């Protein structure tokens, strides 16, 4: 049973994230073709193409959204423009702003670009003006006016000797500016809507422009006239010229003419011959349905940007859903896909034999399959409306999805290539399908639950060969299950039972063979979002919008446990640790780990900013993945065993260090011993070392030598410890000794550089003041005792005089004061008084109480102080000479005074026969 306790998980830590990095706007490729620059609110994110990781993120300090940016051709400078009307120049590799200046524009900058020499920067504003900046000499060189409305496009002519700038604004014309005269020398008019892109021929004599008026225009820049108008029958967002060298015959290129590629609203790449105005190649997209967008509508497949990568013969496209795709020419095969923004994450599941992938359902009709090692993504098309749920079959290479389009689809991933294709689909529900569940033992069936309140059981067909059309599935059973939407389904581990949860606040248990109702779970006060069978016990877990998780017995349908801790709806729950623990996620953005046996929330994880709709665990039970409405997917790793191992190693290390510390103290190697105590961060152990040093014969010099040899960080720790020691009267002398060394040999400037030094020194003041007041009172009392001793004279009768003939000698010898009472019985009585005093002393718990007692009895004690023996007098005189006294010594003084007071009646009884004894 001891091994079972190790199964309990105690902590998860974030091991990876897939977060949004692009939400629309400009995208630029570095000239070395290694990085993609894109905007995301107030940030410019730099994505490394080879790994798919965000390696740098340039963020505005004022959190204003970036309206435009440009990377210089030498890949050294990045300039950004924000809504705050500021231009900032960045060293993007160091994520450091090197310069900031006012943009002069009265409104935000809409576009910008560098010239080929990386010295001139052109900015086009929403106020219709264009400004040119010399980024090296840092001043504005041109202010071009005359373009009406927003300037949304600026481009330098590739031949720097021509000193020309091309711009476009809302008048749909292309303005050519002569930078020598700062005047517009020509306006190229051909388009009837916004010009979206410009592409120059290698010799600089031909220009191709594209627009949303569904045409591309070929311009002769020698004459500034139209050479040809090419109708492309779609709104074009980007145009790129094909290189003159290379074999592009697979793309329909024949001869040495000028060919260009267009990307637009139809979502496909097409190649055009500029001389004949014919389309010579149209891209075919795999796993794609025909686009159904009407004219003027923006389809999810629409392409918003088209960028060339000439060094590697690749093209980059950016879709309307913020996906970045890299195509390899001439085949135009998809090489890499990056998802810039996922929108709401509705469901996520581990996929693959070893959980190497995850399949994600977002607030769109696309399914996304991410490879966890590289964040590379496959985008799957098939559904025509938002996908609501996914579930993975037993072997992990197949999964099912359901959507608002009332359809159910089955997908299969190739184990070698990782390619995913749709193999079957089913229709039959009359409303959106909100949940799907797959069999656990054999890949034989699917179950779907819909907003039409029904549950359907589907038999899986024989899977088709690759390249064949998806098969059609038919429902074997249909059951009217609930009074409201069916939100969730779960199949038991033995494939015999089915659990369903509904918006009608109930969960139901069904026999999967014939869909007969076995029982109803009632107890939640709001709709149920998740049901889950335990992998080992005959129990069912339900998560509800009432903020609770319940454990139910499937034998008698009674509620066994209730877990409350979320502040809002609980959206998902899973079993972990072989059914002994739960993990839940909720609308409050929190993920909680529960232990079922104790009803205890072991840990709460806060890594999301919105509803956590998705939660799933890996087969090995060492990972969980969460997805949220904040568009973030988080991968969590179980670190319980790691933490236990680290804690055990730490304890063993501390034992070894404690043993080493004892050896060092025995060998009087105080410097190393103190260093070990500081490394362990044990103030009490460090105090022990300090006391060992001070107890040496030359303790003061040894302490000074040891402390001054410490490193700066070690001195900081000793100063921090001294503040704690100074709060206790038993250790205040050690603290003051340390402080004396530090304050004597370190300058105030050095001490104030220590972390928290000001706070530590302020904490020393009140306790040090109290210690000084106590010592001051003790010194005052000792001086009074000394004065009384000098003035005290003892005279007696004959019996007394006979004890010692020389009265003067008796006055000068401290032992004589007790020779008067030197009787066996009296000495025993005095010892009894001393023992009684010791017992009283043990009842006092702190030195401060003893000080108060000393103050209360001060008058009594001082009035009868003449009976103090010589040895005690000597100790008081030492204090009077200016040395420090510990609280134990002050307690000893108090004991002597009270003992003397109590012994006065005994002495009177002994000298009762003597009538001449008198104290003067």
């Amino acid at each position: 049973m001891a091994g079972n306790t190790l199964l309990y998980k105690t902590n998860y830590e974030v091991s990876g994230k897939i977060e949004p990095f692009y939400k629309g706007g400009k995208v630029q490729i570095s000239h070395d073709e290694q990085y993609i620059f894109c905007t995301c609110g107030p940030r410019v994110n730099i994505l490394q193409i080879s790994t798919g990781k965000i390696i740098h993120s340039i963020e505005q300090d004022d959190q204003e959204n970036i309206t435009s940016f440009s990377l210089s051709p030498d890949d050294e400078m990045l300039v950004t423009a924000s809504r705050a009307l500021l231009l900032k120049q960045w060293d993007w590799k160091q994520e450091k702003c090197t310069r900031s200046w006012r943009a002069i524009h009265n409104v935000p900058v809409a576009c910008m670009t560098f010239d080929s020499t990386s010295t001139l920067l052109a900015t086009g504003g929403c106020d219709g003006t264009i400004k040119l900046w010399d980024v090296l000499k840092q001043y504005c060189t041109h202010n071009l006016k005359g373009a009406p409305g927003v300037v949304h496009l600026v481009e330098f002519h590739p031949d720097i000797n021509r000193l020309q700038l091309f711009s476009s604004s809302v008048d749909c014309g292309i303005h050519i500016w002569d930078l020598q005269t700062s005047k517009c020398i020509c306006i190229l008019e051909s388009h009837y809507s916004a010009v979206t892109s410009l592409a120059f021929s290698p010799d600089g004599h031909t220009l191709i422009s594209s627009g949303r008026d569904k045409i591309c225009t070929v311009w002769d820049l020698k004459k500034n006239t139209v050479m040809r108008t090419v109708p492309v029958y779609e709104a074009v967002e980007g145009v790129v010229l094909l290189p003159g060298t290379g074999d592009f015959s697979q793309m329909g290129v024949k001869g040495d003419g000028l060919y260009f590629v267009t990307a637009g609203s139809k979502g496909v790449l097409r190649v055009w011959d500029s001389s004949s105005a014919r389309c010579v190649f149209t891209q075919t997209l795999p796993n794609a349905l025909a686009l159904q967008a009407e004219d003027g509508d923006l389809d999810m497949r629409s392409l918003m940007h088209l960028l060339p990568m000439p060094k590697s013969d690749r093209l980059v496209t950016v879709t309307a859903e913020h996906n970045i795709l890299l195509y390899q020419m001439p085949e135009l095969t998809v090489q890499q896909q990056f998802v810039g923004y996922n929108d709401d994450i509705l469901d996520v599941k581990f996929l693959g034999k070893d959980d190497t992938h995850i399949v994600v359902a977002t607030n769109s009709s696309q399914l996304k399959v991410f490879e966890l090692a590289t964040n590379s993504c496959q985008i799957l098309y098939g559904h025509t409306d938002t996908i609501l749920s996914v579930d993975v079959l037993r072997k992990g290479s197949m999964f099912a999805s359901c959507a608002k389009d009332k359809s159910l689809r089955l997908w299969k991933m190739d184990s070698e290539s990782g390619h995913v294709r749709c193999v079957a689909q089913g229709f039959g529900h009359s409303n959106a399908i909100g949940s799907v569940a797959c069999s656990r033992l054999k890949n034989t069936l699917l179950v779907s639950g819909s907003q039409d309140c029904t549950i359907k059981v589907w038999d899986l067909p024989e899977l088709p060969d690759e390249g064949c059309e998806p098969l059609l599935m038919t429902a074997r059973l249909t059951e009217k299950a609930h009074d409201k939407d069916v939100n969730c389904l779960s199949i038991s581990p033995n494939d015999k039972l089915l659990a369903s949860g509904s918006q009608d606040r109930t969960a139901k248990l069904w026999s999967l063979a014939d869909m007969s109702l076995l029982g109803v779970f009632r107890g939640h006060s709001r709709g149920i979002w998740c049901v889950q069978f335990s992998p080992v016990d005959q129990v069912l877990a339900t998560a509800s919008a009432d903020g609770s998780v319940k454990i139910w017995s499937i034998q008698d349908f009674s509620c066994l446990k209730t877990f409350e801790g979320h502040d809002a709806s609980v959206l998902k729950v899973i079993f972990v640790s072989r059914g002994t623990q739960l993990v839940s996620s909720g609308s409050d953005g929190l993920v909680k780990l529960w232990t079922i046996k104790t009803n205890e929330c072991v840990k709460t994880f806060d890594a999301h900013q919105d509803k956590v709709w998705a939660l799933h665990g890996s087969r090995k039970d060492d990972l969980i993945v969460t997805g949220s409405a904040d568009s973030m997917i988080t991968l969590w790793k179980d670190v319980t065993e790691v933490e236990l191992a680290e804690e055990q190693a730490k304890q063993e290390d501390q034992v070894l260090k404690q043993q080493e510390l004892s050896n060092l103290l025995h060998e009087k190697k105080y410097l190393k011993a103190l260093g070990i105590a500081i490394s362990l961060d044990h103030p009490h152990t460090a105090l022990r070392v300090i006391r060992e040093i001070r107890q040496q014969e030359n303790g003061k010099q040894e302490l000074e030598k040891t402390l001054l040899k410490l490193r700066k960080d070690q001195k900081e720790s000793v100063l921090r410890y001294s503040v704690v020691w100074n709060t206790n009267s038993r250790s205040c002398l050690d603290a003051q000794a340390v402080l004396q060394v530090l304050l004597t040999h370190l300058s105030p400037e050095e001490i104030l550089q220590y972390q928290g030094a000001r706070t530590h020194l302020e904490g020393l003041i009140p306790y040090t003041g109290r210690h000084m007041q106590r010592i001051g009172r003790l010194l005052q009392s000792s001086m009074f005792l000394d004065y009384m001793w000098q003035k005290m004279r003892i005279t007696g009768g004959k019996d007394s005089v006979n004890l010692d003939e020389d009265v003067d000698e008796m006055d000068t010898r401290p032992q004589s004061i007790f020779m008067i009472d030197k009787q066996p019985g009296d000495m025993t009585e005095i010892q009894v008084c001393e023992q009684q005093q010791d017992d009283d002393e043990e009842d006092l718990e702190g030195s401060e109480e003893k000080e108060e007692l000393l103050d209360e009895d001060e008058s009594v004690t001082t009035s009868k102080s003449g009976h103090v023996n010589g040895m005690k007098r000597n100790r008081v005189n030492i204090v009077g000479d200016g040395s420090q006294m510990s609280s134990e010594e002050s307690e000893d003084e108090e004991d002597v005074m009270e003992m003397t007071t109590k012994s006065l009646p005994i002495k009177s009884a002994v000298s009762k026969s003597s009538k001449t004894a008198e104290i003067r």
Side-chain angles (χ1 to χ4, degrees):
M1 295 301 293
N4 293 336
T5 58
L6 298 178
L7 296 176
Y8 286 152
K9 303 183 187 302
T10 59
N11 195 14
Y12 287 92
E13 69 176 14
V14 176
S15 62
K17 287 184 179 181
I18 301 175
E19 51 189 336
F21 64 87
Y22 172 62
K23 295 184 178 180
K26 185 176 180 179
V27 175
Q28 187 173 350
I29 310 294
S30 64
H31 289 75
D32 60 10
E33 299 183 1
Q34 294 185 16
Y35 307 99
I36 297 176
F37 291 72
C38 50
T39 58
C40 185
R43 301 191 305 273
V44 174
N45 291 319
I46 296 97
L47 178 76
Q48 190 172 32
I49 296 175
S50 59
T51 63
K53 305 290 186 182
I54 300 295
I55 60 168
H56 298 292
S57 185
I58 306 299
E59 187 167 3
Q60 295 282 119
D61 295 335
D62 53 11
Q63 293 298 307
E64 290 287 345
N65 285 348
I66 293 176
T67 58
S68 184
F69 73 91
S70 184
L71 178 69
S72 62
D74 59 6
D75 292 338
E76 294 296 328
M77 286 184 292
L78 177 70
V79 177
T80 61
S82 68
R83 292 189 179 275
L85 306 182
L86 285 177
L87 293 175
K88 290 191 175 184
Q89 181 178 322
W90 301 83
D91 180 358
W92 61 271
K93 295 178 182 178
Q94 303 294 329
E95 299 183 11
K96 180 181 179 181
C97 179
T98 58
R99 182 185 166 219
S100 177
W101 70 97
R102 297 291 296 179
I104 305 179
H105 293 278
N106 298 324
V107 288
V109 174
C111 59
M112 64 170 65
T113 187
F114 274 95
D115 73 336
S116 58
T117 64
S118 302
T119 57
L120 287 179
L121 174 70
T123 59
C126 296
D127 54 1
T129 64
I130 302 171
K131 296 182 175 12
L132 268 70
W133 308 84
D134 189 324
V135 293
L136 298 181
K137 297 181 180 179
Q138 303 181 358
Y139 70 97
C140 180
T141 62
H142 297 74
N143 185 14
L144 308 179
K145 298 181 179 180
V150 177
V151 179
H152 57 262
L153 178 65
V154 287
E155 287 287 345
F156 283 96
H157 192 281
D159 185 0
I160 192 61
N161 295 322
R162 297 185 63 166
L163 288 177
Q164 288 182 348
L165 179 71
F166 292 73
S167 68
S168 179
S169 56
V170 295
D171 64 351
C172 306
I174 302 173
H175 295 249
I176 304 178
W177 303 86
D178 185 352
L179 300 184
Q180 292 181 337
T181 61
S182 298
K183 292 183 179 180
C184 179
I185 58 176
C186 182
I187 300 178
L188 305 180
E189 294 180 340
S190 172
H191 293 278
Y192 295 96
S193 66
V195 177
T196 56
S197 180
L198 300 177
F200 294 90
S201 63
D203 58 9
H205 299 322
T206 305
L207 171 69
I208 299 177
S209 61
S210 64
R212 297 192 179 107
D213 53 5
K214 304 184 180 181
I215 66 171
C216 288
T217 304
V218 183
W219 302 89
D220 183 355
L221 293 183
K222 292 180 179 179
K223 302 176 181 179
N224 293 332
T225 58
V226 176
M227 294 175 59
R228 187 172 296 276
T229 299
V230 181
V232 295
Y233 308 107
E234 68 171 328
V236 183
E237 296 293 338
V239 60
V240 169
L241 282 173
L242 283 177
T245 59
D247 182 12
F248 296 100
S249 58
Q250 296 185 39
M251 301 174 66
V253 175
K254 298 178 182 179
D256 298 330
L258 195 62
Y259 292 85
F260 60 91
V261 184
T262 60
S265 58
K266 291 187 177 181
V268 295
L269 298 177
R270 294 196 285 176
V271 181
W272 301 82
D273 184 357
S274 63
S275 59
S276 62
R278 290 187 306 108
C279 178
V280 297
F281 177 80
T282 301
Q283 180 189 20
T284 301
L285 295 179
N287 297 331
L289 298 178
L291 297 179
Q292 302 175 358
E294 299 294 335
D295 290 347
D297 293 341
L298 182 64
D299 189 84
M300 62 180 179
R301 303 285 299 272
S302 298
L303 302 178
M304 309 306 296
H305 298 280
L306 177 62
L307 305 170
M309 297 178 68
K311 293 182 180 180
S312 56
D313 284 338
R314 289 185 289 179
L315 292 174
V316 177
T317 63
V318 182
T319 69
E321 288 211 338
H322 315 306
N323 302 323
I324 302 175
L325 288 78
L326 277 69
Y327 292 97
Q328 183 66 56
M329 296 191 294
E331 301 87 356
L332 285 185
T333 54
V334 177
Q335 192 181 56
Q336 286 178 285
Q337 300 181 71
F338 304 107
V339 178
Y341 183 64
N342 280 312
D343 207 0
D344 292 5
I345 308 294
L346 301 182
D347 204 359
V348 61
K349 292 289 190 297
F350 281 103
L351 183 65
K353 184 179 179 181
D354 298 318
D355 296 328
T356 56
H357 295 69
I358 56 173
V359 55
V360 181
T362 65
N363 191 22
S364 74
S365 59
Q366 305 171 1
L367 270 174
K368 301 181 177 73
V369 178
F370 289 90
E371 185 179 4
L372 294 177
T374 62
N375 282 0
S376 180
C377 176
Q378 292 182 64
I379 302 174
L380 308 179
Y381 298 93
H383 291 285
T384 59
D385 207 341
T386 303
I387 300 171
L388 298 176
S389 179
V390 294
D391 195 23
V392 180
L393 275 78
R394 178 179 64 91
K395 293 183 179 180
S397 60
M398 296 176 60
F399 62 94
S401 62
C402 59
K404 286 184 178 180
D405 60 4
K406 310 171 190 176
S407 72
L408 185 72
R409 286 183 174 266
L410 183 65
W411 308 80
K412 183 178 181 180
M413 184 177 71
D414 186 270
S415 58
E416 295 181 0
S417 64
H419 176 69
V420 181
R421 61 189 178 94
C422 180
V423 295
Q425 55 185 337
F427 303 91
H429 284 284
S430 60
N431 209 332
I433 305 176
S435 180
V436 62
C438 300
S439 58
R440 300 303 177 207
L441 289 180
K442 298 180 180 179
N443 298 336
T444 56
L445 57 86
L446 300 176
V447 182
S448 61
S450 170
Q451 293 179 7
D452 59 11
C453 307
T454 65
I455 295 176
K456 290 181 180 290
V457 180
W458 310 75
D459 288 326
L460 297 185
E462 291 292 332
L463 299 180
D465 296 331
E466 189 170 357
C468 299
E469 291 294 323
L471 297 178
L472 187 63
M473 296 186 297
T474 56
R476 174 167 56 90
L477 291 172
T478 301
E479 183 69 28
K480 174 68 166 64
H482 290 273
D483 298 330
K484 292 185 179 180
D485 301 354
V486 180
N487 290 335
C488 50
L489 297 170
S490 180
I491 296 178
S492 64
N494 60 5
D495 277 356
K496 293 183 178 181
L497 301 176
L498 171 71
S500 62
S502 170
Q503 203 65 28
D504 63 6
R505 299 177 292 181
T506 65
K508 294 185 178 182
L509 188 67
W510 310 82
S511 173
L512 196 55
D514 56 1
M515 284 303 295
S516 58
L517 182 63
L518 301 179
V520 181
F521 304 95
R522 291 186 174 90
H524 285 292
S525 59
R526 298 187 68 183
I528 296 174
W529 283 112
C530 184
V531 291
Q532 194 74 31
F533 281 101
S534 170
V536 292
D537 298 320
Q538 296 186 3
V539 296
L540 180 76
T542 58
S544 170
D546 61 10
S548 68
V549 176
K550 291 181 181 291
I551 300 290
W552 307 83
S553 169
I554 62 176
Q555 300 286 345
D556 55 9
F557 311 106
S558 62
C559 180
L560 304 177
K561 296 271 188 178
T562 299
F563 303 89
E564 296 179 339
H566 287 278
D567 294 332
S569 302
V570 184
L571 303 176
K572 275 288 170 65
V573 62
I574 60 172
F575 283 91
V576 295
S577 305
R578 296 184 181 179
T580 60
Q581 290 182 292
L582 294 172
V583 178
S584 62
S585 63
S587 296
D588 51 9
L590 301 178
V591 178
K592 290 181 178 288
L593 174 65
W594 308 84
T595 299
I596 296 177
K597 183 177 181 179
T598 61
N599 272 51
E600 176 190 5
C601 179
V602 180
K603 195 85 172 181
T604 298
F605 309 100
D606 186 5
H608 294 284
Q609 306 299 322
D610 210 334
K611 301 179 181 66
V612 183
W613 286 105
L615 172 66
H616 193 231
S618 64
R619 289 177 177 81
K620 294 182 180 179
D621 201 27
D622 59 341
L623 297 173
I624 61 173
V625 62
T626 57
S628 170
D630 60 6
S631 186
M632 184 179 294
I633 300 169
T634 305
L635 193 67
W636 306 82
K637 184 178 181 180
D638 177 21
V639 293
T640 302
E641 294 184 1
V642 176
E643 289 186 346
L644 289 175
E646 290 178 351
E647 183 65 25
Q648 184 176 359
K650 184 178 179 181
Q651 291 177 357
E652 292 176 355
D653 184 58
Q654 287 187 354
V655 170
L656 293 175
K657 286 188 175 182
Q658 289 286 0
Q659 181 62 41
E660 183 182 2
L661 179 66
S662 300
N663 296 338
L664 291 172
L665 289 177
H666 180 71
E667 297 170 3
K668 296 185 179 182
K669 296 180 179 179
Y670 300 117
L671 179 62
K672 195 171 182 180
L674 187 58
I676 291 177
I678 295 173
S679 67
L680 292 173
D681 197 21
H682 287 177
H684 182 74
T685 306
L687 177 62
R688 174 186 164 194
V689 177
I690 295 295
R691 285 178 173 171
E692 286 279 349
I693 297 174
R694 296 185 66 228
Q695 288 175 2
Q696 300 302 311
E697 183 176 354
N698 56 342
K700 184 176 180 180
Q701 292 79 6
E702 186 68 28
L703 178 64
E704 181 177 325
K705 182 176 67 173
T706 303
L707 291 178
L708 293 180
K709 288 183 179 180
L710 294 176
R711 301 191 309 268
K712 179 182 177 181
D713 59 321
Q714 293 175 327
K715 291 177 182 177
E716 290 179 1
S717 299
V718 171
L719 178 60
R720 187 175 74 252
Y721 297 161
S722 298
V723 177
V724 179
W725 301 338
N726 195 53
T727 60
N728 192 330
S729 61
R730 296 182 182 273
S731 57
C732 67
L733 293 180
D734 303 292
Q736 294 294 330
V738 171
L739 290 172
Q740 182 182 8
V741 174
L742 295 179
L743 296 178
T744 303
H745 294 85
L746 298 180
S747 65
E749 292 78 11
E750 288 183 85
I751 296 178
L752 290 177
Q753 289 179 358
Y754 291 173
Q755 185 177 3
R758 190 178 299 275
T759 304
H760 297 333
L761 295 176
E762 290 177 354
L764 286 167
I765 296 174
Y767 286 97
T768 302
R770 293 176 62 182
H771 298 325
M772 293 301 296
Q773 291 175 5
R774 186 178 69 252
I775 294 174
R777 291 195 301 268
L778 185 59
L779 285 173
Q780 184 178 9
S781 301
S782 65
M783 293 175 68
F784 182 75
L785 288 174
D786 188 62
Y787 173 77
M788 291 294 294
W789 175 257
Q790 297 295 334
K791 298 298 182 180
M792 185 170 57
R793 294 292 184 269
I794 299 178
T795 59
K798 294 179 180 180
D799 297 336
S800 301
V801 174
N802 290 335
L803 293 174
D804 195 341
E805 297 178 356
D806 192 354
V807 178
D808 294 334
E809 184 180 355
M810 177 191 69
D811 293 337
T812 57
R813 290 187 303 171
Q815 295 85 353
S816 60
I817 190 170
F818 284 103
M819 291 176 66
I820 301 175
D821 304 315
K822 193 172 182 180
Q823 296 183 16
D826 294 340
M827 291 301 295
T828 302
E829 189 69 15
I830 292 174
Q831 293 174 359
V832 171
C833 294
E834 291 177 350
Q835 181 63 37
Q836 181 179 358
Q837 179 62 20
D838 292 339
D839 295 339
D840 294 340
E841 178 182 345
E842 292 177 358
D843 294 336
L844 299 179
E845 296 181 353
S847 59
E848 297 299 330
E849 297 180 9
K850 296 175 185 178
E851 293 165 18
E852 294 174 1
L853 184 60
L854 179 62
D855 294 339
E856 293 173 359
D857 297 338
E858 186 175 359
S859 58
V860 177
T861 306
T862 53
S863 63
K864 301 180 179 181
S865 58
H867 296 272
V868 177
N869 62 19
M871 181 174 61
K872 295 297 181 180
R873 172 183 178 271
N874 292 338
R875 293 186 62 185
V876 173
N877 285 339
I878 292 174
V879 176
D881 292 338
S883 301
Q884 295 177 334
M885 176 178 287
S886 67
S887 58
E888 288 86 348
E889 293 171 342
S890 64
E891 291 166 7
D892 293 340
E893 289 293 338
E894 181 180 348
D895 295 344
V896 172
M897 296 172 185
E898 292 182 4
M899 181 188 71
T900 308
T901 304
K902 293 177 182 178
S903 64
L904 282 175
I906 302 173
K907 295 177 181 179
S908 301
V910 173
S911 57
K912 188 174 182 179
S913 59
S914 177
K915 305 297 183 181
T916 59
E918 181 179 356
I919 298 177
R920 292 183 298 174

